[in-house]
Amino acid sequence: MTTEGPPIRRLADWDAAALRDRADEYGTPLYVLDQQRVRENVAALRAAFHDEEISYAVKANTVRATLETVAETGLSAECASAGELQRAADAGFDRVRYTAVNPPAGDLDHVVELAADPSREDLDLVITVGAADAFEALARRGYDGPLAIRVNPGVGAGHHAKVTTGDAPKFGVPYDRVSELASEIVDRGFDLVGLHAHAGSGIHDEADLAAHRELVSRMGDLARELGHGLDFLNVGGGLGVPYRPEEEPLDLDSVAEATREAAGELDVRLGIEPGRYVVADAGVLLTTVNTVKPTPETTVVGVDAGMTTLLRPAMYDAYHEIQTLAPDAGERDPITAMIAGPICETADVLGRDRELPRPERGDVLAIGNAGAYGYEMASNYNSRPRPAVVSIGGGEPRLAVERETLSDLTRLEVEQ
């Protein structure tokens, strides 16, 4: 597998003319996903974490074309819902873990049925439980396959409080109760094969990395303490990428070595589960300028993408680089602008105080690092159809997800 490509793909690295062609052909808003960049990111992870099992955190991007690309690289899949598990299995993953949080009954029913499906006998499935209740619910359903325990190690990290999981009570069995649950699982004849923990999402700065190392250290101690014949210790993902142009990418080799050192000597295989790192810089969002409105505070540049297309800025105050694709951009005077969407919410802003060549109606803007949690978090709020997705980097560009229509919005409604 090739490892060519820069450590991170900046927005300026994309071919502006090719992106304009995609916008002309498919319209906007439009996600463009580059499968070759996905392969490069997986190769970089493999080069650094050469002895560890790498699982793809499916929730970062479940577009079928991307799932198939990741499956072809040989990574396993980490799934947070029955829907993600079904998508991963259908896309060709042969090793999957179902690590749900407070799984609904319907999800458990579907997962247990999938585990027992004779047509899926080649599917290596492990279910991870984050509470004793979840274990009991599986036992009542007759599940007798391998189990892992999600641990709450009391250490969290991430780019925002809303995605810091390792110390949040919602996630995992409290650290000091894991041994008791492990013993019960084994005593009742179940196959306990692993432990799992996850600090959070978007781990990038030194404070986050220090917290990650502390989590790994605690989990290494726990794995040695249990001694229940475990097969693996998964210490989560969350590896961040630089969203701002001035930020440097992670030194993957250093992160991998620090992870191994923090885990210590183990009789089990160490594993990680990156999602964002695999797909973030493999995607851009294209959007068209609808209005340009000077105001006393700023120039508001209205575009056809908004918080229903890319939620991260409204949800997490996240920064995404924005550039114009106008061919004559270099001839225009720069202005400072707010890039705002069409949703009736003050929060519907994709970027504030951004310097752009003076925008004009009809310009296409590109929004970078949109491959992770972009299309995945799109919604129909304000009855807005979700965008289309185009896949490139594997032959000719092809439509991966059709654009929703207004009739799609009411297709499931029942007339009274």
Side-chain angles (χ1 to χ4, degrees):
M1 181 188 302
T2 178
T3 57
E4 294 178 0
I8 191 71
R9 189 178 195 180
R10 308 288 186 177
L11 185 54
D13 296 329
W14 290 78
D15 185 327
L19 291 178
R20 287 197 301 271
D21 289 344
R22 301 291 81 75
D24 289 343
E25 182 175 1
Y26 297 101
T28 61
L30 178 71
Y31 278 100
V32 180
L33 298 177
D34 185 348
Q35 307 306 327
Q36 178 56 26
R37 183 59 191 175
V38 171
R39 297 183 193 98
E40 291 171 357
N41 288 337
V42 172
L45 286 163
R46 284 195 183 281
F49 292 90
H50 42 76
D51 293 325
E52 288 72 37
E53 179 182 10
I54 305 174
S55 303
Y56 171 58
V58 170
K59 67 178 182 176
N61 189 307
T62 60
V63 171
R64 177 68 175 257
T66 298
L67 289 182
E68 290 178 345
T69 297
V70 179
E72 288 167 1
T73 69
L75 267 57
S76 55
E78 188 82 29
C79 305
S81 70
E84 288 182 5
L85 178 60
Q86 186 68 55
R87 284 175 178 241
D90 290 346
F93 285 93
D94 54 13
R95 291 174 294 122
V96 296
R97 276 199 296 275
Y98 173 64
T99 306
V101 180
N102 304 324
D107 275 34
L108 291 181
D109 290 341
H110 185 82
V111 173
V112 171
E113 289 174 6
L114 186 66
D117 185 347
S119 69
R120 301 279 190 174
E121 61 182 3
D122 294 333
L123 185 66
D124 181 1
L125 169 64
V126 175
I127 297 181
T128 304
V129 296
D133 274 0
F135 165 57
E136 294 294 346
L138 288 169
R140 288 195 302 272
R141 286 166 170 77
Y143 177 74
D144 60 359
L147 290 170
I149 297 175
R150 178 166 187 168
V151 180
N152 185 317
V155 180
H159 69 84
H160 194 281
K162 293 180 180 179
V163 295
T164 300
T165 59
D167 57 357
K170 174 179 177 178
F171 298 94
V173 177
Y175 190 86
D176 59 359
R177 300 180 190 173
V178 173
S179 181
E180 179 182 353
L181 179 58
S183 295
E184 181 178 357
I185 289 173
V186 173
D187 290 346
R188 289 172 60 174
F190 288 85
D191 186 15
L192 180 63
V193 298
L195 296 175
H196 173 279
H198 178 57
S201 184
I203 296 170
H204 192 261
D205 64 24
E206 185 50 44
D208 286 340
L209 291 168
H212 174 70
R213 290 192 294 269
E214 175 63 21
L215 176 146
V216 175
S217 177
R218 293 188 186 187
M219 292 301 295
D221 290 343
L222 184 60
R224 286 183 288 272
E225 174 190 329
L226 289 184
H228 281 298
L230 303 176
D231 295 331
F232 69 84
L233 168 62
N234 186 301
V235 293
L239 300 177
V241 299
Y243 283 87
R244 295 177 181 270
E246 68 273 14
E247 293 175 340
E248 292 297 320
L250 288 175
D251 182 339
L252 279 185
D253 290 335
S254 295
V255 172
E257 184 58 32
T259 300
R260 286 188 281 268
E261 290 179 359
E265 292 294 327
L266 294 171
D267 292 328
V268 301
R269 189 177 187 191
L270 190 62
I272 60 168
E273 51 168 56
R276 182 189 313 271
Y277 198 94
V278 175
V279 293
D281 70 348
V284 295
L285 171 61
L286 305 182
T287 183
T288 300
V289 175
N290 299 321
T291 59
V292 180
K293 181 175 67 174
T295 73
E297 298 86 0
T298 187
T299 297
V300 179
V301 179
V303 296
D304 61 4
M307 62 186 287
T308 56
T309 321
L310 179 65
L311 181 60
R312 297 189 71 253
M315 183 77 167
Y316 307 122
D317 296 320
Y319 182 99
H320 286 261
E321 189 177 2
I322 301 174
Q323 293 184 0
T324 181
L325 300 180
D328 64 346
E331 303 170 11
R332 302 183 190 179
D333 294 332
I335 66 166
T336 300
M338 169 195 291
I339 295 84
I343 307 305
C344 190
E345 295 280 350
T346 307
D348 184 34
V349 175
L350 298 174
R352 301 177 188 273
D353 299 324
R354 302 301 183 88
E355 187 172 290
L356 292 173
R358 182 173 296 279
E360 297 178 1
R361 194 165 50 247
D363 286 350
V364 176
L365 305 183
I367 302 174
N369 273 0
Y373 307 104
Y375 184 81
E376 195 64 23
M377 299 179 79
S379 77
N380 295 129
Y381 180 51
N382 272 194
S383 289
R384 300 217 45 100
R386 288 182 297 176
V389 181
V390 168
S391 176
I392 65 173
E396 292 297 315
R398 64 184 179 89
L399 191 64
V401 181
E402 294 181 352
R403 185 179 308 281
E404 284 185 333
T405 65
L406 292 179
S407 60
D408 288 329
L409 300 179
T410 57
R411 182 173 55 84
L412 299 179
E413 294 183 6
V414 179
E415 293 185 10
Q416 302 300 313

